Amino acid sequence: MSNEIKLGFFVTLGILAIVLTIMMLGNYSLTSKYEVNAYFSNASGLPKKAKVKISGVDIGNVKKIVLEDGKAKITLVVNKDVKLYEDARAKIVS
């Protein structure tokens, strides 16, 4: 193998490693997801990127937390294959 091919191979591996690291640290995902908003009177202790669970199974995470009309508006990102009903309830647990 020539030096140019070896160099190209290692540069490609380096770029791939950087992209994978950014995806893992930035919490990017290649799966389809959708957003749901939940409103709480108190969201203290809830961090961004917290896991969202149903029956102990991870189904998504918290995208952002903002104050809207005196309540905490929490935007959840949920896996596309998980169906939430219109009357579903959410609660914050530690």
Side-chain angles (χ1 to χ4, degrees):
M1 232 192 298
S2 71
N3 285 337
E4 290 86 10
I5 293 174
K6 289 179 185 177
L7 178 63
F9 178 72
F10 285 114
V11 168
T12 303
L13 279 178
I15 291 172
L16 183 62
I18 291 171
V19 168
L20 287 174
T21 302
I22 290 171
M23 287 181 70
M24 290 175 67
L25 291 176
N27 204 16
Y28 292 103
S29 175
L30 299 177
T31 60
S32 297
K33 298 185 178 231
Y34 64 97
E35 292 184 2
V36 177
N37 293 320
Y39 294 88
F40 293 93
S41 58
N42 184 359
S44 74
L46 181 66
K48 280 178 71 175
K49 297 186 181 179
K51 293 182 179 183
V52 176
K53 297 182 176 193
I54 293 180
S55 300
V57 179
D58 293 342
I59 61 156
N61 59 358
V62 174
K63 182 177 181 182
K64 67 180 176 178
I65 304 170
V66 296
L67 186 64
E68 185 176 288
D69 297 327
K71 292 194 177 230
K73 176 183 174 185
I74 302 172
T75 303
L76 311 172
V77 180
V78 179
N79 296 337
K80 195 71 159 183
D81 58 340
V82 176
K83 304 294 185 224
L84 296 178
Y85 297 101
E86 194 172 312
D87 62 345
R89 294 181 185 205
K91 65 180 178 178
I92 299 172
V93 295
S94 58

